[in-house]
Amino acid sequence: MTMSDAVFLARAVSLSKQSPEAVGCGVVIVQHGKVVAAEYNSQKADGIAVHHAEIKAIIAANKHTRSRTLPEATAYCSCEPCTMCLTALSYAKIPRVVFYKKMSDLFPDDPQSQFDSAAYARTLNFVLTLEQLSL
């Protein structure tokens, strides 16, 4: 873990606390050392099922960079991305995802939180790297 990894991951964790959801998630996307998006989840508050932090951050980063893909970017996530978000991160061609909390820690009784995200990531057309870091 680099010093910048710790700073950006801490920012994502801090951002997650702004979420109106019962379990807040925050994401910061960094490309070439600069933040290109920072979002938190709001699916229930907005009434939009796909308003996960990763999806909102990808959309914001695409608009900011005026590019559909985000090569050389890193997504810093306060929690492990779900399958929908991992797929979206792959479509955006974000090669590296750093997360803080595992989904199974946040949702221990949810069967969906028991999936192997690293194994799933290896099945995607654009394979991204997942790293769990502690602060």
Side-chain angles (χ1 to χ4, degrees):
M1 174 169 63
T2 67
M3 181 61 91
S4 59
D5 282 340
V7 169
F8 293 128
L9 188 57
R11 185 168 172 189
V13 170
S14 177
L15 191 59
S16 72
K17 295 172 183 159
Q18 295 178 37
S19 170
E21 305 301 325
V23 176
C25 296
V27 173
V28 174
I29 297 178
V30 177
Q31 189 176 42
H32 308 297
K34 295 182 180 161
V35 173
V36 294
E39 296 286 341
Y40 54 79
N41 63 320
S42 58
Q43 60 273 24
K44 289 180 184 170
D46 295 344
I48 299 174
V50 297
H51 267 194
H52 290 209
E54 295 87 345
I55 302 297
K56 291 172 60 179
I58 291 166
I59 292 167
N62 291 151
K63 288 179 180 179
H64 178 80
T65 63
R66 296 182 181 164
S67 176
R68 186 191 73 76
T69 60
L70 302 161
E72 300 176 31
T74 298
Y76 294 91
C77 308
S78 64
C79 60
E80 181 180 22
C82 69
T83 56
M84 176 182 69
C85 291
L86 283 171
T87 303
L89 291 160
S90 173
Y91 271 83
K93 299 196 181 318
I94 296 175
R96 183 172 179 241
V97 177
V98 177
F99 68 93
Y100 179 57
K101 292 271 188 179
K102 289 196 68 67
M103 225 187 312
S104 58
D105 295 331
L106 297 168
F107 306 102
D109 299 326
D110 185 343
Q112 292 182 55
S113 71
Q114 303 305 315
F115 88 104
D116 184 339
S117 59
Y120 178 76
R122 288 190 295 274
T123 69
L124 298 168
N125 286 337
F126 178 82
V127 178
L128 43 88
T129 302
L130 285 166
E131 300 172 39
Q132 182 180 17
L133 300 179
S134 53
L135 294 172

